[in-house]
Amino acid sequence: MDTLWSPWRMRYMMNHERTDACIFCKAIAEEDGQENLIVLRREKAFVILNRYPYTTGHVMVVPFAHVDTLEALDASTRGELMDLMTEMMILLRELYNPQAFNIGANIGAAAGAGIAGHVHLHVVPRWEGDTNFMSTIGETRVLPEDLDETFRRIRAMIKR
């Protein structure tokens, strides 16, 4: 059962062509902004908002290299991924005051990777009670903040 259906997702799906191209590689080639949702670029990796977030502030830390596993990355790229993940936790703590985080990677389709060909890390802020009956019964996620607003707020924090 797909629990991420919402009017926003339907609007996105109706206005974007489906393609087999890697969404991360496509985003890398675009100018940063609300269209590609990249909030920060570094030398070997970048941070992008999750278009279908579990909670407000859900970001992904992604290497520029299109590889499918962490061990395929060189040590300096893995180090930059960890540094960016930590930097995002610090920023998100200040911005949203979460009580906890889920940090993880689904490496390979069998592990649940939606984009199995391009490894990435999820940083998901969490609050007590941030899951509710809407996901189960209503088959939708309720987020207190629009994705465009999340993008704007995170970019503003990075720029200061």
Side-chain angles (χ1 to χ4, degrees):
M1 172 176 19
D2 187 350
T3 60
L4 297 178
W5 288 105
S6 69
W8 183 90
R9 184 173 185 193
M10 286 301 297
R11 190 168 57 246
Y12 172 77
M13 289 172 51
M14 298 302 287
N15 293 323
H16 288 78
E17 289 184 32
R18 286 199 168 257
T19 176
D20 288 334
C22 173
I23 66 164
F24 295 134
C25 292
K26 180 180 179 296
I28 292 167
E30 297 172 349
E31 184 176 331
D32 294 356
Q34 292 192 355
E35 268 303 303
N36 73 355
L37 300 176
I38 292 177
V39 294
L40 178 63
R41 289 182 194 241
R42 287 287 158 77
E43 183 182 338
K44 297 180 179 215
F46 63 100
V47 178
I48 187 169
L49 292 181
N50 190 314
R51 196 168 293 280
Y52 307 112
Y54 289 111
T55 64
T56 296
H58 180 172
V59 298
M60 295 175 289
V61 181
V62 186
F64 288 120
H66 182 93
V67 298
D68 60 354
T69 65
L70 288 170
E71 63 269 22
L73 295 168
D74 60 60
S76 65
T77 301
R78 286 192 307 269
E80 189 169 295
L81 287 176
M82 291 297 115
D83 288 345
L84 278 171
M85 179 190 71
T86 303
E87 189 176 331
M88 288 299 100
M89 289 175 66
I90 292 166
L91 181 146
L92 293 167
R93 276 189 207 281
E94 184 177 342
L95 186 59
Y96 293 109
N97 197 30
Q99 296 167 318
F101 285 92
N102 287 123
I103 304 293
N106 301 325
I107 300 173
I115 304 157
H118 200 137
V119 70
H120 56 283
L121 305 175
H122 292 262
V123 179
V124 185
R126 300 307 302 259
W127 297 264
E128 193 80 28
D130 65 11
T131 57
N132 59 45
F133 72 95
M134 289 299 288
S135 296
T136 305
I137 297 171
E139 297 184 2
T140 192
R141 295 218 189 269
V142 177
L143 298 173
E145 183 173 84
D146 182 73
L147 195 58
D148 290 338
E149 179 67 10
T150 302
F151 177 86
R152 187 194 64 71
R153 292 183 72 195
I154 290 174
R155 283 293 293 256
M157 285 286 290
I158 289 168
K159 287 182 180 181
R160 65 175 188 127

